[in-house]
Amino acid sequence: MRIILPLLAVFITLTTTRAAPPAIAPDSVAVLYNTNEDASRDLALYYASRRNIPTSNLIGLPLAKDDAISREDYNKTLRDPLKTLFKERDWFAQGKIRVLACMRGVPFKVQRTPLPPAADGTKPKPLGPNGKQDEAAVDAELALLAVPDPEIKGPLQNPYYKQDQPIGRTNVQGLLLVGRIDGPSDQVCRRMIDDAVAVEPDGLWGMCYLDLAKKGAGYKIGDDWIETVARQNGELGIPTVVDRNRDTFVTNYPMRDAALYFGWYTTHRNGPFLNPEFEFPRGAVAVHLL
């Protein structure tokens, strides 16, 4: 992602007395879907109905049926038409739309533009992970929809970073909060929507499990992020189990009532998630860094 986002902060309704943030107003949410996929449109309609979002806030664009698109296609088929629509509806000037929800079917990757050969015909040297390349997450790019001529190559600092207030009340101008309803199937996406709606009245209850690498294993940055989650959970009164061993939680570890899970340093499902009897409770949030 070009906009560097902090690790997702999730708060559970447990023993904390901190006031819950106000709900996002349904009429401040726009829903984007792919008109080339009927399932994407149906999911947008379903999401809008469950969240009381006005149908006038639904936006359908004819997009590629691929996860990744080129920078040129992103500009031509997604960014420019969406920006035009926002201007026509005066959504930028009014600040009416603060949240954009992308549905399954909307591409989520902008591919890196290949570098041209050198004058002598030799291939350019590949840039490293922190180089000034122009690949990006679609959602991160859309967050800057109202920003004129943002820098394309390399990461940008997110102006919403460390803003301790809801997006609707922040004084950050020209920034959209972009989210996505996506998953391996349309059925899973609908279940995600239903589960979130179902648990909101009483809050999400349960344990938090954090899986770090062993100190010195070369994963300090990610471990520091997860240690921050552990510290904040302690302040909020969220019961938390932290695994600081080099190995992940073992397969038969009794990970019960796992309302929250944060982990990383493995690229495949393992540990308790291989146990056929393991289930997350409804509405649980699991975050894995790769």
Side-chain angles (χ1 to χ4, degrees):
M1 290 187 179
R2 289 179 47 245
I3 290 186
I4 301 175
L5 300 173
L7 185 64
L8 175 66
V10 183
F11 300 92
I12 305 178
T13 303
L14 288 168
T15 58
T16 178
T17 58
R18 181 176 296 185
I24 295 173
D27 62 355
S28 70
V29 180
V31 182
L32 176 64
Y33 66 92
N34 187 349
T35 59
N36 287 329
E37 294 192 18
D38 291 342
S40 184
R41 179 203 60 209
D42 293 344
L43 187 65
L45 290 168
Y46 185 74
Y47 178 68
S49 68
R50 294 305 312 268
R51 290 299 186 183
N52 299 316
I53 298 170
T55 55
S56 58
N57 287 13
L58 270 61
I59 304 168
L61 295 177
L63 305 171
K65 295 183 179 182
D66 297 312
D67 295 340
I69 55 176
S70 67
R71 172 67 60 173
E72 180 181 4
D73 286 341
Y74 166 77
N75 293 341
K76 184 186 302 183
T77 66
L78 212 172
R79 184 199 66 181
D80 294 347
L82 196 59
K83 184 176 292 189
T84 298
L85 186 145
F86 266 67
K87 289 180 178 178
E88 290 176 349
R89 300 186 181 183
D90 206 25
W91 283 352
F92 286 139
Q94 295 180 9
K96 176 183 178 181
I97 300 299
R98 304 304 304 272
V99 179
L100 179 65
C102 301
M103 296 295 104
R104 185 173 189 263
V106 175
F108 53 81
K109 293 187 289 186
V110 180
Q111 296 170 321
R112 180 185 300 188
T113 303
L115 296 174
D120 59 1
T122 58
K123 293 183 178 181
K125 183 179 179 180
L127 295 171
N130 297 317
K132 293 288 187 177
Q133 54 266 0
D134 67 349
E135 74 269 35
V138 166
D139 296 4
E141 295 294 277
L142 292 177
L144 299 176
L145 192 67
V147 178
D149 302 319
E151 176 62 37
I152 297 299
K153 296 182 178 180
L156 298 175
Q157 180 67 44
N158 183 355
Y160 190 50
Y161 180 52
K162 291 187 177 181
Q163 291 280 332
D164 190 21
Q165 55 186 331
I167 188 70
R169 295 183 177 179
T170 181
N171 58 4
V172 175
Q173 300 297 318
L175 183 72
L176 285 174
L177 183 64
V178 183
R180 178 173 292 263
I181 302 294
D182 212 330
S185 70
D186 297 317
Q187 292 75 18
V188 168
C189 291
R190 290 188 179 228
R191 193 190 74 198
M192 291 164 58
I193 296 169
D194 292 340
D195 287 354
V197 172
V199 302
E200 283 174 3
D202 297 320
L204 179 59
W205 292 71
M207 299 282 295
C208 177
Y209 294 88
L210 305 177
D211 199 348
L212 292 84
K214 185 178 180 180
K215 287 186 177 181
Y219 301 115
K220 185 178 186 306
I221 294 178
D223 282 353
D224 287 348
W225 293 341
I226 298 179
E227 289 283 11
T228 299
V229 175
R231 184 177 67 255
Q232 292 178 344
N233 283 359
E235 296 170 357
L236 292 168
I238 299 174
T240 302
V241 176
V242 184
D243 181 3
R244 294 185 175 86
N245 297 311
R246 182 182 294 271
D247 295 331
T248 58
F249 282 107
V250 297
T251 302
N252 292 317
Y253 182 86
M255 190 180 285
R256 299 185 179 91
D257 301 321
L260 288 179
Y261 168 83
F262 295 84
W264 79 313
Y265 70 91
T266 180
T267 56
H268 300 285
R269 182 170 60 98
N270 67 0
F273 310 120
L274 294 175
N275 191 327
E277 297 181 358
F278 174 81
E279 286 186 355
F280 281 107
R282 192 175 194 187
V285 177
V287 178
H288 209 274
L289 307 178
L290 294 177

